Amino acid sequence: MATTADQRHQLGNGTSRLHLMQDVLDPHTHRQLARIGVKPGQHALELGAGGGSITRHLAGLVGPTGKVTAVDIDTRLLDPTAVIDVYQGDLRTTPAPGQPGGYDIITARCLLEHLPNRVNLLRQMTILLRPGGWLVLGDIVYSRTVVYRAPTETDATLITRVVHGILDTLAASGVDLHWGDKAPGLLLDAGMNHVRSHSHTETWTGGGPGCHLYAQDAHHLRDTLTDTGLTITDLHRFTELMADPHVVVSSYQFTATHAQKPEPTHA
């Protein structure tokens, strides 16, 4: 999970939120990495490493003969080891570390959609990737909220209004919530092979980590959400609903993409 100054301001991206994001997104990223087959001894780069769960997972996959480089603007939750190197840097202004062709795997989750230089950073990533190496991306994409169960129709309408309000607020602040849909085309234009993208939504139940994430995001955006016509009473009720185990709602949509850099052709 990326940590940028803007994102911390928007969503209060502290330890609690990072752990919730890891709870709901790590299984999807683990499956992506399993698909590409990370091998012992490989070198990996994670941009926007956040709480470090994927960094640690990659370190386990590449083993003691491999190397993982983790980059974030806030590195307090990232612990260097014999396998893990940690770099502090703002990727809006600081180039990603490494030499061209220096990494077998590069990952970035919930990062590029937040950065104004996302296209340039994607280009940097393809340059840093070795031929035959894999790029693994994942971003939240705007999607319609579905309330499968709520105490009343009024509650269901409120849940929809608040979740859409969160997404609209992020989009208005410069987060590109369609970036995950654009990435495959950009990767193909860059000459990448085996581009595969898939989107995932699931049901989140009140009291679980996903609904806690919704409640926390609404809390941190409350001043902006009240400007859209929602009241403090509405937001208090939303928090109650997100803790109600009888509530079932669709998750944020997560779109994952991976692509392979082509090997050089020989005449």
Side-chain angles (χ1 to χ4, degrees), residues 4-139:
T4 69
D6 288 344
Q7 191 180 6
R8 286 202 304 273
H9 172 71
Q10 294 158 356
L11 294 175
N13 205 28
T15 303
S16 175
R17 187 173 193 276
L18 287 171
H19 287 163
L20 291 172
M21 290 285 283
Q22 290 173 172
D23 285 345
V24 300
L25 294 182
D26 278 7
H28 309 309
T29 304
H30 290 177
R31 284 193 290 270
Q32 282 182 279
L33 294 171
R35 286 189 183 103
I36 66 172
V38 182
K39 298 176 178 62
Q42 290 187 321
H43 287 201
L45 170 67
E46 184 183 12
L47 300 179
S53 63
I54 296 304
T55 295
R56 292 186 290 273
H57 182 69
L58 282 166
L61 294 175
V62 302
T65 61
K67 183 66 69 174
V68 180
T69 302
V71 182
D72 205 284
I73 195 172
D74 184 347
T75 59
R76 288 175 294 177
L77 299 178
L78 301 174
D79 297 320
T81 69
V83 175
I84 298 171
D85 291 333
V86 174
Y87 285 82
Q88 190 277 331
D90 185 341
L91 290 165
R92 293 171 299 182
T93 56
T94 304
Q99 298 298 317
Y103 297 104
D104 301 287
I105 304 101
I106 301 178
T107 70
R109 187 173 75 187
C110 297
L111 171 72
L112 295 174
E113 61 190 343
H114 291 272
L115 302 182
N117 60 325
R118 58 185 72 92
V119 174
N120 179 60
L121 188 54
L122 185 66
R123 182 185 63 81
Q124 289 182 46
M125 294 164 75
T126 61
I127 292 171
L128 292 172
L129 200 62
R130 72 160 179 82
W134 287 92
L135 188 62
V136 178
L137 307 175
D139 292 285

Side-chain angles (χ1 to χ4, degrees), residues 167-179:
L167 295 171
D168 290 341
T169 298
L170 293 174
S173 70
V175 179
D176 187 351
L177 291 174
H178 299 287
W179 172 256

Side-chain angles (χ1 to χ4, degrees), residues 113 139-148 159-168 170-171 176-181 199-202 204 214 249-255:
E113 61 190 343
D139 292 285
I140 302 298
V141 173
Y142 202 111
S143 64
R144 183 174 68 93
T145 301
V146 179
V147 180
Y148 297 96
I159 292 170
T160 300
R161 287 182 63 199
V162 174
V163 176
H164 285 176
I166 292 168
L167 295 171
D168 290 341
L170 293 174
D176 187 351
L177 291 174
H178 299 287
W179 172 256
D181 295 329
S199 295
H200 181 89
T201 56
E202 59 190 6
W204 284 350
Y214 273 154
V249 62
S250 60
S251 67
Y252 289 134
Q253 179 175 309
F254 182 68
T255 296

